[in-house]
C-alpha cells in the first residue's frame, strides 16, 4: 500500500491522547519539506496542518500524538502540544502571539505522517546544503 503522506488516525482533539504533537524546524527547511511532500503525494493533502511563527524563523508540522516520544532528527524539535494554544474547527486559529497557519487544518489532511516528514526534512536539508555550496 502506498503512503499518502498523511496519518489517517483520529484527528486533533479526538479523545484522550488525541491532541497532535508539533515538529518544529527552521522555515527554509520546512518550506522545502512541504514542497517535497506535496510533489511526492501528487496532491495538496499529502501534508497536514503547518504553523508559522510570527518572527518567520520556524514552521511547525502537526504530527500524530506520541511522535515526540521517539523523535530524534537533528535540527528539529518535537513536542507534545496537549492541545495548548490550538483550536480546531470553524474558528481554527492558533492563539500564540504572532503565530498563524501556513496550511490550515481545514485545507489539508489531519496530520503529517512522521516517517514521511522525516524523509522530506532529510531531503530538504540535502537540497539546501547543495544550494548553499554552489555559491
Amino acid at each position: 500500500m502506498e503512503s499518502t503522506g498523511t496519518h489517517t488516525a483520529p484527528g486533533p482533539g479526538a479523545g484522550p491522547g488525541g491532541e497532535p504533537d508539533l515538529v518544529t524546524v527552521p522555515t527554509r527547511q520546512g518550506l522545502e519539506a512541504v514542497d517535497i511532500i506535496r510533489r511526492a503525494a501528487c496532491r495538496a493533502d499529502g501534508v497536514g496542518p503547518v504553523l508559522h511563527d510570527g518572527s518567520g524563523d520556524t514552521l511547525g508540522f502537526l504530527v500524530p500524538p506520541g511522535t515526540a516520544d521517539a523523535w530524534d532528527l537533528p535540527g528539529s524539535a518535537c513536542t507534545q502540544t496537549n492541545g495548548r494554544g490550538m483550536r480546531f474547527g470553524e474558528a481554527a486559529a492558533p492563539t500564540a502571539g504572532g503565530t498563524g497557519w501556513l496550511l490550515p487544518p481545514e485545507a489539508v489532511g489531519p496530520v503529517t505522517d512522521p516517517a514521511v516528514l522525516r524523509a522530506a526534512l532529510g531531503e530538504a536539508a540535502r537540497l539546501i546544503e547543495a544550494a548553499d555550496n554552489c555559491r
Side-chain angles (χ1 to χ4, degrees):
M1 177 186 250
E2 197 169 306
S3 174
T4 62
T6 56
H7 182 74
T8 56
E19 300 298 340
D21 288 350
L22 183 72
V23 172
T24 307
V25 298
T27 298
R28 186 175 177 199
Q29 185 180 14
L31 290 172
E32 287 288 346
V34 167
D35 288 343
I36 290 164
I37 294 169
R38 284 185 156 184
R39 281 193 312 266
C42 298
R43 58 181 197 252
D45 68 348
V47 65
V50 178
L51 290 160
H52 65 82
D53 68 0
S55 67
D57 293 334
T58 62
L59 291 185
F61 292 80
L62 294 184
V63 293
T67 301
D69 297 337
W71 190 264
D72 62 353
L73 186 67
S76 67
C78 187
T79 56
Q80 296 175 341
T81 66
N82 299 322
R84 292 184 307 255
M86 290 186 218
R87 293 186 319 234
F88 297 92
E90 286 184 34
T95 59
T99 300
W101 292 110
L102 175 68
L103 298 173
E106 63 273 8
V108 293
V111 291
T112 302
D113 181 308
V116 170
L117 180 58
R118 180 182 298 276
L121 289 171
E123 184 176 341
R126 289 186 295 278
L127 289 171
I128 290 167
E129 182 179 0
D132 289 350
N133 286 336
C134 288
R135 292 181 186 178

